[in-house]
Amino acid sequence: KAGVTQTPRYLIKTRGQQVTLSCSPISGHRSVSWYQQTPGQGLQFLFEYFSETQRNKGNFPGRFSGRQFSNSRSEMNVSTLELGDSALYLCASSIGLAGSVDEQFFGPGTRLTVL
Amino acid sequence: AQTVTQSQPEMSVQEAETVTLSCTYDTSESDYYLFWYKQPPSRQMILVIRQEAYKQQNATENRFSVNFQKAAKSFSLKISDSQLGDAAMYFCAYRTGTASKLTFGTGTRLQVTL
């Protein structure tokens, strides 16, 4: 079974631009969660999508948004980029059924650099 | 709010020796789960071990075991017979039984020396 894939792996943008990151979960997984990893703030939860609906949301400004498609692939978008958005963005997929605590499998991440 | 604290930014262990990484957490929930994740230099986060709060028995996975002290809200990871491939960042993480959001600690960088 193929693992979680994230594209692109590396991205360089300038302040004020917007960016879209993509995550393809493991086949059969319906939950996709996104995390931001920075040296200063560590790993922080952005949001989770399940069956095309946002199920949970972290404490990030509205510039951070996401969506999920019918094939469970997910995208996250960051608008009006700031220098502080430079980070490794990780996505994790799981089967995600309510009431079950199944393993979350992480992708390799997208390294975003904002200049 | 739930918090996870890892007080050891860096640890070092000799190959074949045993090392223990510490983690404490704070929660008012009764239904929760604890995890240790490993993030090697390649950056891909890998689950090492998980512990259900309702289980009294400490989880074990080969050379990895935990010491779960529920009353003290402590969840340490013991790595036995350390190998060079164990060198990585180790994150302690928490989630409730109802939401998949993981709350991570700040991580412990483990070095394994010859």
Side-chain angles (χ1 to χ4, degrees):
Chain A
K1 224 180 212 186
V4 179
T5 57
Q6 291 187 245
T7 56
R9 292 292 311 277
Y10 301 90
L11 207 47
I12 299 175
K13 292 285 187 179
T14 56
R15 275 182 300 174
Q17 287 186 310
Q18 75 164 17
V19 67
T20 299
L21 313 181
S22 180
C23 173
S24 293
I26 291 170
S27 177
H29 286 191
R30 292 164 64 188
S31 168
V32 174
S33 296
W34 288 89
Y35 294 85
Q36 181 195 64
Q37 185 175 19
T38 61
Q41 299 298 317
L43 280 149
Q44 293 186 286
F45 173 78
L46 281 153
F47 29 65
E48 181 213 2
Y49 285 86
F50 178 82
S51 290
E52 302 179 66
T53 301
Q54 188 179 85
R55 191 158 69 172
N56 285 293
K57 187 177 187 306
N59 295 326
F60 277 81
R63 300 185 297 107
F64 292 81
S65 63
R67 60 178 175 168
Q68 187 179 36
F69 302 94
S70 58
N71 62 357
S72 295
R73 188 178 70 86
S74 177
E75 288 181 348
M76 69 163 279
N77 184 276
V78 188
S79 63
T80 318
L81 283 166
E82 300 176 0
L83 295 178
D85 297 333
S86 294
L88 181 68
Y89 290 88
L90 296 170
C91 81
S93 81
S94 65
I95 296 172
L97 295 175
S100 75
V101 181
D102 54 302
E103 182 177 349
Q104 294 188 38
F105 293 84
F106 283 81
T110 293
R111 167 73 63 189
L112 172 65
T113 301
V114 182
L115 302 176
Chain B
Q2 296 88 5
T3 58
V4 178
T5 302
Q6 294 179 249
S7 58
Q8 306 155 314
E10 287 190 20
M11 293 282 285
S12 184
V13 63
Q14 281 192 316
E15 203 178 16
E17 296 297 306
T18 296
V19 64
T20 298
L21 309 184
S22 301
C23 172
T24 58
Y25 61 95
D26 189 25
T27 184
S28 57
E29 300 284 339
S30 57
D31 177 24
Y32 60 89
Y33 298 74
L34 297 163
F35 307 85
W36 279 98
Y37 281 89
K38 170 184 177 182
Q39 189 178 41
S42 67
R43 298 285 184 183
Q44 191 129 11
M45 195 85 74
I46 304 162
L47 178 64
V48 174
I49 199 165
R50 72 180 255 172
Q51 174 78 45
E52 293 82 353
Y54 62 83
K55 287 187 178 177
Q56 291 187 333
Q57 188 170 7
N58 289 324
T60 299
E61 288 286 343
N62 301 315
R63 299 182 294 106
F64 300 88
S65 61
V66 300
N67 183 4
F68 175 47
Q69 300 290 324
K70 192 172 183 177
K73 294 181 179 172
S74 168
F75 181 61
S76 60
L77 174 70
K78 185 170 86 171
I79 306 174
S80 304
D81 186 26
S82 296
Q83 301 174 359
L84 294 177
D86 295 333
M89 281 290 287
Y90 286 81
F91 292 95
C92 178
Y94 161 101
R95 64 162 283 180
T96 67
T98 54
S100 62
K101 167 190 170 181
L102 289 167
T103 299
F104 288 91
T106 50
T108 296
R109 181 175 303 280
L110 179 66
Q111 288 185 318
V112 182
T113 58
L114 294 171

